[in-house]
Amino acid sequence: MGEREVIEMKEDDVAWVVQLSDLHFSVHNPERAHSFSKIVGPTLSMINPSLVFITGDLTDGKSKDLLTMKEDEEEWLEYQKVLEDVIKRSGLKKNVFYDLRGNHDTFGVPAIGGSFDFYSKYSINGQLNRSGLVNSATIQTGERSIRFVGFDSVTSLGLRGPTNLFGHPTDQLLDEISSELSVLDSRPAKPVIKIAYGHFPLSFSAASLSGRTLKDTFLTHNLSAYLCGHLHTRFGKNLKRHHESNQKLVQLNGHGSLPNNSRTCSDEATEFKEFWEWEMGDWRKSRAMRILAIDRGSMSFVDFDFKLGAKNVIILPTFPLDSRFTLERSFHKCKMDSLYLNSIRALVFSSSQVVSVVARIYDSRPGKLVTVLETPMTKSEGNLYTCPWNFKAFEDPSPDRFLLQIEAVDIGGKSTLTELRPFSVDSFRAKLSWNWKEFIVMGCQWEALYYPILWFFYLLTLPILVFPKAIFVFFKKQYTYKNFVGNKGLVTCVSWILSELYNIPLVWFSIIVYLFYLILCPWLSGQVFAEGGERGYMTYRGWVLRLNEKAKLSFHGFPDILVVVFPHLYFVVLPTIIVIGALVAERAVFQDHLRALSAKKEDDYLVTSNVSASTNARNKTLTLLHRRWIRKMLLLMSLAICGKHVLNCRALIKAYAMNPLIHFPVYSMSIPLLLAYTIYKTSKAE
């Protein structure tokens, strides 16, 4: 079990912490560490948070070409040096910093505490002897306790990338998290806000051996929020997800199911299990930072970046709450004291004197923004600014009709504005939409979807390739191009193409054998750890490692291997099958065209004048067939497939120190040879 820090707050029931993530300090990109050292220390000094969380991927662990992934001690020495400088410049105590492992911090590390486990030696947690996988800290305000529980869910065997992508919480880890989240449950004197932080989003976290998940654990203990990293802003800036007790493999948007907006104060606030998952941006490219505040028990946060350099003023509105990120159970105005509702509140952090802070509320209903309230805010205590307002004037069933914006002006006359934040004094939650990339990485539970997606590929290919063959043999039927022309339809088209494929039995048989090979045999043999040790064998179920001859056969790196399996099946194998079918079909059409010419059925083929429009169109089609332009397009597609396959193989060669002819000959050579043989067999009309 990890450390348990307790921090007493002097401010009246308001606390704030800072989150950073995905620093990726790299020997090949020294500017990441340089900017971190230059900006973060002074910014933390200005913000003065109670705690600072760095949620993984502290170093990059990648070669310059990004293909070889293993730990580099030089990067860790740089990390240690930079963090010591940041702590010194911030004026904060070292023990308020917590840094976690990410997948990049375990590339090629065979065991925790081993010679390649640089995290344990150079990280802040390692230096402070926080040796457990779970560490907790509690902030005590005058009114409540705020419990933070951080955990390390990286795989126990640090495989090299790219098949080191998911979090792998064990049953023991989930028990420890449960224990830490429930520590204050037996002390009912003060309400408790529970917040967890880790590296991996829940969509990239596997279940334990017994089938338990982090989500179930969080819901059981009434978590309010889970802070994480891992995904970076290249997938989008809206990587937030509301979780409820009803388990979903796929969620189409960030808000999930919206609460009933028609309730009144006569209705009771039903208590149900829910929490928010807030992934934040990365320092690697986005230079991102987050401030999370808990003001009178309600959470709010602001994400910002330092792409343009340090910031002199940072503003975080804490009430009214952003309606996109509210919890149904945490705020119900009918049960609130009016003192809670009667003021607008914001935290203002500045490196220079602030001369004015103004709150503005806009009404968006007219179709344009109309200012309906503009009022100065006064300094209440520390960094907190407040102003009175008539909250009843803003009661509305729409959760995003009214928008709040805070403006602060420093002594130099520089103005800083917050984004326009929707709010609802009735605690109605606004919609949070995703683009397609955000949906892919946040809305899908990839471990649960792995086998359905895998077997869908085989359901799509094997029955179509095998069953018609059995039917044709049994009924002694043969479909030709003429059958298709006489009775056009999808079934007739597929039957004709498969008949043509069966006429090249070696190609058809090779496809079937290769599909079964990918299920029954290892795909490749690679060096999965940093140096030395036996090679591992990757199958569609994961990596097999001979760590102990007497140990039961076990698979590692599942479902991480989907980054190899899915691209190969859906972007190499499936297109190959389609192109092969198109090549044999094109040959059949060309053969029919040649027969028609030889039989003198197309006497007007070379006529170029005094022809109708329909005859012109037919001549163009015949010219297309005669010169085999469709085949040439298919050859270009074959080259594209081979190019994609070569790039995949090159990445694997670099990642796992392999020779394609020795360590994965079937995987690397089958597709190019199959395409080449098909191209040769269909080159001439027989």
Side-chain angles (χ1 to χ4, degrees):
M1 195 71 66
E3 296 289 326
R4 290 177 178 172
E5 300 281 349
V6 178
I7 299 171
E8 299 285 344
M9 289 292 296
K10 295 180 181 179
E11 284 79 3
D12 183 22
D13 203 16
V14 59
W16 58 91
V17 301
V18 162
Q19 181 191 2
L20 294 149
S21 193
D22 296 82
L23 313 187
H24 289 271
F25 286 179
S26 169
V27 294
H28 308 293
N29 296 276
E31 74 281 356
R32 297 173 191 169
H34 175 72
S35 62
F36 192 90
S37 177
K38 179 181 177 182
I39 295 173
V40 173
T43 302
L44 290 178
S45 177
M46 179 179 76
I47 298 171
N48 191 29
S50 298
L51 295 165
V52 179
F53 304 124
I54 309 176
T55 51
D57 282 357
L58 313 178
T59 64
D60 200 39
K62 284 189 175 184
S63 59
K64 192 171 184 178
D65 61 7
L66 306 180
L67 297 179
T68 303
M69 307 178 203
K70 56 184 179 181
E71 298 306 292
D72 188 328
E73 190 169 11
E74 187 178 343
E75 293 177 348
W76 283 100
L77 287 166
E78 180 76 1
Y79 174 78
Q80 182 187 41
K81 177 184 175 182
V82 169
L83 264 293
E84 287 176 353
D85 181 65
V86 165
I87 293 170
K88 181 179 178 180
R89 292 174 128 192
S90 70
L92 301 174
K93 294 181 180 180
K94 192 172 186 176
N95 66 349
V96 307
F97 287 79
Y98 288 79
D99 51 3
L100 297 172
R101 286 183 181 90
N103 55 313
H104 281 250
D105 305 316
T106 62
F107 283 155
V109 179
I112 294 176
S115 57
F116 292 100
D117 180 19
F118 301 127
Y119 169 86
S120 296
K121 183 177 181 180
Y122 297 111
S123 68
I124 294 174
N125 279 6
Q127 294 172 57
L128 295 179
N129 296 317
R130 296 170 181 159
S131 56
L133 297 179
V134 180
N135 290 283
S136 62
T138 303
I139 298 176
Q140 298 278 10
T141 71
E143 301 294 329
R144 71 195 73 250
S145 298
I146 308 167
R147 183 75 168 166
F148 293 91
V149 176
F151 58 90
D152 181 349
S153 62
V154 296
T155 177
S156 58
L157 292 174
L159 306 177
R160 287 190 187 186
T163 56
N164 183 344
L165 187 65
F166 279 68
H168 294 267
T170 62
D171 285 303
Q172 180 181 353
L173 178 67
L174 294 176
D175 288 339
E176 290 186 24
I177 294 172
S178 294
S179 176
E180 289 298 304
L181 287 174
S182 60
V183 162
L184 300 179
D185 289 353
S186 59
R187 307 175 194 175
K190 287 184 178 181
V192 180
I193 304 296
K194 300 175 184 179
I195 299 171
Y197 62 95
H199 178 65
F200 300 95
L202 299 188
S203 54
F204 282 81
S205 294
S208 68
L209 287 176
S210 65
R212 296 162 61 195
T213 65
L214 285 168
K215 176 178 178 177
D216 295 335
T217 302
F218 293 161
L219 289 170
T220 298
H221 294 282
N222 292 314
L223 194 80
S224 293
Y226 172 53
L227 314 178
C228 60
H230 189 53
L231 294 178
H232 301 203
T233 54
R234 69 175 178 268
F235 292 107
K237 294 185 178 181
N238 227 12
L239 302 177
K240 284 84 178 174
R241 179 176 176 179
H242 182 260
H243 291 272
E244 300 172 12
S245 55
N246 51 330
Q247 185 70 35
K248 295 179 181 178
L249 297 183
V250 175
Q251 185 169 307
L252 299 179
N253 50 60
H255 55 262
S257 59
L258 293 173
N260 181 13
N261 287 12
S262 62
R263 71 171 185 222
T264 65
C265 283
S266 61
D267 301 325
E268 294 187 1
T270 56
E271 189 84 10
F272 65 98
K273 298 184 182 297
E274 57 171 343
F275 68 92
W276 272 101
E277 176 183 7
W278 292 327
E279 201 272 356
M280 73 161 292
D282 57 285
W283 183 268
R284 178 178 178 264
K285 286 189 176 181
S286 302
R287 304 293 190 263
M289 178 184 282
R290 168 180 291 162
I291 303 175
L292 172 73
I294 302 91
D295 185 6
R296 300 174 300 176
S298 296
M299 300 178 301
S300 53
F301 68 92
V302 60
D303 292 344
F304 51 94
D305 63 66
F306 299 100
K307 289 181 179 179
L308 300 178
K311 295 183 179 297
N312 296 322
V313 178
I314 301 171
I315 308 170
L316 171 53
T318 62
F319 191 84
L321 301 175
D322 189 328
S323 59
R324 294 169 296 181
F325 306 117
T326 58
L327 287 173
E328 177 76 357
R329 62 176 164 84
S330 66
F331 175 68
H332 193 263
K333 79 178 179 67
C334 304
K335 290 190 172 185
M336 292 292 179
D337 191 301
S338 60
L339 293 176
Y340 183 96
L341 301 167
N342 66 6
S343 64
I344 299 173
R345 297 161 67 91
L347 290 168
V348 181
F349 309 100
S350 177
S351 58
S352 58
Q353 182 182 348
V354 175
V355 296
S356 73
V357 179
V358 176
R360 296 186 183 92
I361 294 179
Y362 299 91
D363 187 353
S364 64
R365 175 166 289 181
K368 61 180 181 178
L369 296 181
V370 177
T371 304
V372 293
L373 177 67
E374 182 171 351
T375 180
M377 303 182 74
T378 58
K379 195 169 186 177
S380 174
E381 181 180 4
N383 299 95
L384 183 65
Y385 286 74
T386 64
C387 66
W389 71 325
N390 178 18
F391 69 88
K392 293 184 178 180
F394 300 98
E395 293 178 344
D396 193 88
S398 171
D400 52 11
R401 174 183 173 181
F402 295 108
L403 305 170
L404 172 68
Q405 186 175 58
I406 309 292
E407 180 185 18
V409 180
D410 64 16
I411 196 169
K414 183 178 179 180
S415 173
T416 301
L417 292 166
T418 65
E419 68 169 345
L420 292 167
R421 292 188 171 211
F423 69 88
S424 170
V425 295
D426 297 280
S427 74
F428 298 146
R429 191 164 66 246
K431 293 181 178 180
L432 184 66
S433 300
W434 286 329
N435 62 37
W436 69 269
K437 290 191 292 185
E438 291 166 341
F439 162 71
I440 290 294
V441 296
M442 286 296 288
C444 301
Q445 295 301 124
W446 284 106
E447 184 198 32
L449 290 172
Y450 176 81
Y451 280 117
I453 294 173
L454 174 74
W455 298 128
F456 175 77
F457 170 82
Y458 276 88
L459 188 65
L460 190 67
T461 54
L462 273 179
I464 294 176
L465 290 169
V466 175
F467 291 163
K469 176 71 171 177
I471 294 172
F472 293 169
V473 170
F474 183 79
F475 291 102
K476 297 181 180 180
K477 294 191 68 175
Q478 182 74 17
Y479 282 87
T480 64
Y481 177 60
K482 288 184 178 181
N483 295 126
F484 170 64
V485 172
N487 184 22
K488 291 182 179 180
L490 179 62
V491 174
T492 310
C493 179
V494 172
S495 300
W496 157 57
I497 293 174
L498 288 173
S499 292
E500 298 296 339
L501 179 60
Y502 299 150
N503 290 332
I504 313 178
L506 182 58
V507 173
W508 172 79
F509 185 72
S510 297
I511 294 173
I512 300 300
V513 169
Y514 186 66
L515 291 177
F516 276 103
Y517 169 85
L518 294 176
I519 292 296
L520 301 175
C521 304
W523 289 31
L524 49 91
S525 169
Q527 181 68 56
V528 294
F529 297 128
E531 302 291 346
E534 291 192 34
R535 306 184 75 86
Y537 299 90
M538 198 204 88
T539 73
Y540 78 97
R541 297 176 62 188
W543 285 92
V544 179
L545 306 175
R546 294 181 178 178
L547 301 176
N548 187 340
E549 293 292 341
K550 296 182 180 180
K552 183 180 178 182
L553 181 67
S554 60
F555 296 92
H556 303 273
F558 173 85
D560 311 64
I561 43 93
L562 67 79
V563 297
V564 175
V565 173
F566 287 173
H568 184 63
L569 293 181
Y570 282 94
F571 301 128
V572 176
V573 179
L574 184 59
T576 296
I577 295 173
I578 293 172
V579 167
I580 287 175
L583 283 168
V584 298
E586 188 275 340
R587 184 187 68 162
V589 175
F590 184 61
Q591 285 176 333
D592 185 77
H593 168 64
L594 292 181
R595 291 192 196 100
L597 286 179
S598 63
K600 306 295 183 181
K601 291 182 180 180
E602 300 289 336
D603 294 334
D604 61 340
Y605 174 70
L606 297 177
V607 175
T608 58
S609 61
N610 299 322
V611 292
S612 65
S614 61
T615 306
N616 271 327
R618 185 175 61 176
N619 286 342
K620 289 179 181 179
T621 303
L622 293 173
T623 302
L624 190 67
L625 290 172
H626 191 68
R627 296 181 180 179
R628 305 193 75 177
W629 286 108
I630 295 177
R631 175 179 172 82
K632 292 173 182 177
M633 293 174 59
L634 292 172
L635 294 182
L636 288 176
M637 294 176 64
S638 299
L639 284 175
I641 293 170
C642 289
K644 169 67 176 172
H645 184 57
V646 168
L647 290 177
N648 291 348
C649 290
R650 178 176 177 269
L652 292 172
I653 289 168
K654 286 273 193 175
Y656 301 112
M658 297 186 296
N659 183 314
L661 298 178
I662 297 175
H663 299 117
F664 60 131
V666 178
Y667 174 92
S668 63
M669 302 303 295
S670 295
I671 293 297
L673 290 176
L674 196 55
L675 282 170
Y677 182 73
T678 305
I679 290 170
Y680 166 73
K681 291 296 290 183
T682 59
S683 60
K684 296 180 180 179
E686 298 175 355

